[in-house]
Amino acid sequence: MLLRLTCLLWAIFPFVASAQYDVLIKNGKIYDGTGNAWYRADIGIKDGRITRIGLLPGATANKIIDANYLVVAPGFIDVHGHIESGIMTTPTADNYIYDGVTTVVTGNCGGSEEDIADFFRRTDSLKISINIATLYGHNTVRNAVMKRENRAPTSAELKQMENLVDSAMLAGAVGFSTGLIYIPGTFAQTDEVAALAKRAALQGGVYASHIRNEEAKVTDAIQEAINIGISAGMPVQISHFKVSGRANWGRSKETLQMIEDARLKGYDVTIDQYPYTASSTNLGVRLPDWAFGGGNDSLLARLNNPVTRAQIKKEMLQQLHSYKYKNYSYAVVANYAADSSYNGKSITEINTLLGRKPKPAYEAEAILDMISKGGAQMVYHGMDENDVKYIMGYPFCMVGADAGITVPGKGMPHPRGYGSNARILGKYVRDEKVMSLEEAIRRMTSLAATKFHLKNRGQIHEGFAADIIVFDPATISDHATYEKPHQYSTGISYVLVNGEFVLAEGKHTGRRSGQNLRRDQ
């Protein structure tokens, strides 16, 4: 009778005695994201989660991948993105997927969507290939309340901004970001920023800052960011940590020591970096901040006033001299809407094309002419490789490409948007041995997930979301260059986002299995 009952149960529930998965990854070298040594194991995935890790010889699955002793790691988390507009037109986020990124933290440098709840609703409806977490931007909230006014807020205006921060955090933002070199954030004093940061801190948010100066006054700017975190009682993330301008090369030892000193005092301060010696931002940062006060109409009025224009140019040339540059050849156009033939050319080259004398004063005039026609996105070759490598060696430095979602063939964007993670793993880990592979993966995964409170992400761990990549450490490479930026990384065979294959056999599948990662959800 017992034998008959057992046979009957087996007929009704034929899979009770065997594991059954949606996806089974076999024979992988598991780099679990913690920094621990790799180990060999299989991974069983069900309903978007990692359900079993170990030797699973009898397991079955709808899709079985033989990793053949390739690296199996958590999907990379890019902590510094600007993808708000790009995700709406290119929800497949190809440049990130081919670089192994499964999650992007956007809303950086003080710029985010104004209505975070609406942003999440739209991306939920659209369906996306990557996971998205977002910060709430100081420039966004200040512009919403004060436009481009160069003054301190009234008590009523500050209250309005605090209410907007509260709403954004309740909608799921993971923190508050600043871009203190950008308009209108640059007009804000430290106490204003700290007051708004405190509102984000009440909800457990992170303070992520593009600091006020990355050149001669970089130490003052770092200290300001640390002080804001201390005042608000919240963790600090200093964005795209660098020292810019030839006059500042070598100061990374000084600036990085400030981070370590803060940590030794018990303050949660960390940094991120992209692995390149050029930065990328707008052309307007070459002008003094005051020139932009009041908005575009006020700017154009100042440029059309000979006296004011001369003062602007004078301060531009003083800035150039302080950087110890002879001209503007270090400034290269990435995208100039008014004349795409400028794309890929330096300001020095553009000045020559205009038939002007090869002098910085005339190059400054070329910049002002471009600003009056809408400005441009630029690439600035202003850092030293030794500083980049020294910063990269710091154990609390994460990876952030500081990029948007690129469109192949459009403009001449910074190559970091295509190859930041592959470049670190190929050039700096495999070839130059700046750090171990285990350590690099930790920086790209669990360190980032912990900092931004991304629950059940960033590790190969049972119960965690199945954001997983499979790659060959011997061949992973970036191919994007400043001259030919539109080239995807190679060497990554598979990318799973929430358990679904978004990249398979090195090709994007078109799957949109990404999710919005609201704070603490």
Side-chain angles (χ1 to χ4, degrees):
M1 179 66 181
L2 180 61
L3 177 62
R4 186 176 301 172
L5 179 59
T6 302
C7 291
L8 179 61
L9 289 172
W10 181 253
I12 298 173
F13 303 109
F15 301 111
V16 167
S18 63
Q20 181 69 32
Y21 304 105
D22 297 327
V23 177
L24 180 64
I25 302 175
K26 297 180 63 68
N27 303 318
K29 292 173 66 175
I30 310 300
Y31 287 71
D32 66 6
T34 65
N36 289 334
W38 65 267
Y39 60 94
R40 287 196 175 110
D42 305 329
I43 300 176
I45 298 167
K46 182 74 173 177
D47 296 329
R49 296 275 169 179
I50 298 170
T51 56
R52 187 73 183 274
I53 302 171
L55 299 178
L56 309 172
T60 59
N62 296 326
K63 180 71 172 178
I64 298 176
I65 299 298
D66 187 350
N68 195 26
Y69 306 116
L70 296 177
V71 169
V72 180
F76 300 144
I77 299 172
D78 186 306
V79 300
H80 193 101
H82 298 276
I83 66 172
E84 286 80 2
S85 60
I87 197 67
M88 298 301 172
T89 55
T90 311
T92 49
D94 300 61
N95 56 312
Y96 283 103
I97 293 297
Y98 278 100
D99 203 38
V101 175
T102 56
T103 298
V104 174
V105 180
T106 194
N108 284 279
C109 295
S112 68
E113 289 288 321
E114 183 177 336
D115 187 334
I116 298 299
D118 180 65
F119 174 62
F120 282 149
R121 281 193 295 271
R122 286 184 287 127
T123 47
D124 280 338
S125 176
L126 181 65
K127 303 297 182 184
I128 50 183
S129 289
I130 54 174
N131 303 312
I132 298 176
T134 187
L135 299 153
Y136 193 51
H138 170 241
N139 287 344
T140 298
V141 67
R142 198 178 209 270
N143 187 66
V145 174
M146 298 178 62
K147 304 304 180 186
R148 292 192 168 193
E149 292 296 320
N150 184 0
R151 59 174 175 80
T154 65
S155 58
E157 288 168 336
L158 183 60
K159 182 61 177 177
Q160 281 183 269
M161 290 192 281
E162 289 176 337
N163 290 340
L164 287 173
V165 174
D166 289 345
S167 296
M169 294 303 297
L170 290 172
V174 295
F176 181 66
S177 78
T178 52
L180 296 176
I181 71 164
Y182 298 124
I183 308 300
T186 190
F187 300 143
Q189 298 301 308
T190 304
D191 59 348
E192 173 192 322
V193 179
L196 297 176
K198 286 178 183 178
R199 305 308 302 182
L202 292 174
Q203 302 295 330
V206 174
Y207 175 64
S209 182
H210 179 152
I211 56 178
R212 203 176 290 272
N213 188 287
E214 295 172 328
E215 293 87 26
K217 297 181 179 179
V218 62
T219 55
D220 293 340
I222 291 170
Q223 193 59 57
E224 180 187 33
I226 294 171
N227 289 344
I228 288 170
I230 294 171
S231 175
M234 66 196 305
V236 174
Q237 178 80 4
I238 298 183
S239 301
H240 38 61
F241 199 79
K242 65 173 78 73
V243 284
S244 293
R246 186 180 295 273
N248 299 298
W249 289 2
R251 294 185 68 191
S252 57
K253 291 182 173 62
E254 177 187 3
T255 59
L256 205 54
Q257 188 60 49
M258 294 179 69
I259 306 303
E260 185 61 12
D261 289 345
R263 292 188 62 82
L264 289 172
K265 292 175 182 176
Y267 303 121
D268 182 358
V269 183
T270 50
I271 63 176
D272 58 73
Q273 176 197 46
Y274 46 81
Y276 298 87
T277 56
S279 61
S280 182
T281 189
N282 62 64
L283 185 59
V285 298
R286 301 279 66 86
L287 278 64
D289 295 339
W290 58 264
F292 294 91
N296 288 332
D297 289 344
S298 297
L299 170 65
L300 292 175
R302 293 182 183 109
L303 293 180
N304 289 327
N305 182 306
V307 175
T308 311
R309 186 184 183 97
Q311 181 61 33
I312 291 172
K313 188 166 71 170
K314 178 183 177 181
E315 293 187 31
M316 291 171 63
L317 295 174
Q318 288 173 341
Q319 179 197 67
L320 183 70
H321 179 73
S322 72
Y323 290 173
K324 294 188 178 180
Y325 289 126
K326 295 180 180 179
N327 54 37
Y328 285 99
S329 59
Y330 77 99
V332 178
V333 176
N335 188 33
Y336 181 48
D339 187 346
S340 61
S341 69
Y342 284 14
N343 295 348
K345 294 181 175 64
S346 71
I347 295 298
T348 299
E349 290 171 328
I350 291 168
N351 184 64
T352 300
L353 287 174
L354 294 173
R356 294 170 174 170
K357 294 179 181 179
K359 294 182 178 182
Y362 290 99
E363 294 178 7
E365 281 291 340
I367 291 173
L368 295 178
D369 290 343
M370 292 172 67
I371 289 291
S372 68
K373 296 177 182 177
Q377 183 70 15
M378 304 292 293
V379 172
Y380 295 109
H381 294 270
M383 291 177 275
D384 180 60
E385 176 70 6
N386 291 326
D387 286 318
V388 170
K389 290 169 69 171
Y390 186 74
I391 293 167
M392 190 180 294
Y394 188 59
F396 300 104
C397 179
M398 303 167 210
V399 180
D402 193 8
I405 294 177
T406 57
V407 178
K410 183 178 180 180
M412 294 287 286
H414 196 298
R416 66 193 183 189
Y418 282 95
S420 286
N421 291 281
R423 182 175 177 82
I424 289 175
L425 297 174
K427 174 179 170 62
Y428 292 104
V429 172
R430 181 183 63 230
D431 299 340
E432 300 189 15
K433 297 178 173 50
V434 172
M435 67 186 111
S436 69
L437 183 55
E438 288 91 342
E439 174 64 5
I441 291 172
R442 181 188 71 85
R443 311 270 199 86
M444 298 170 173
T445 58
S446 68
L447 181 63
T450 300
K451 183 71 180 194
F452 289 92
H453 305 293
L454 306 180
K455 289 187 174 181
N456 300 318
R457 307 275 168 177
Q459 292 185 47
I460 301 292
H461 191 284
E462 290 180 1
F464 274 45
D467 295 339
I468 296 174
I469 65 172
V470 180
F471 69 92
D472 184 351
T475 63
I476 190 167
S477 300
D478 67 303
H479 301 282
T481 65
Y482 297 108
E483 296 75 24
K484 294 182 178 180
H486 295 289
Q487 301 185 77
Y488 294 123
S489 298
T490 57
I492 299 175
S493 301
Y494 296 94
V495 174
L496 286 83
V497 179
N498 297 305
E500 296 192 33
F501 288 95
V502 178
L503 192 79
E505 298 181 353
K507 300 294 183 183
H508 201 302
T509 66
R511 293 293 302 169
R512 300 188 194 177
S513 55
Q515 300 175 1
N516 285 309
L517 305 183
R518 295 167 174 83
R519 179 182 43 79
D520 290 332
Q521 292 183 7

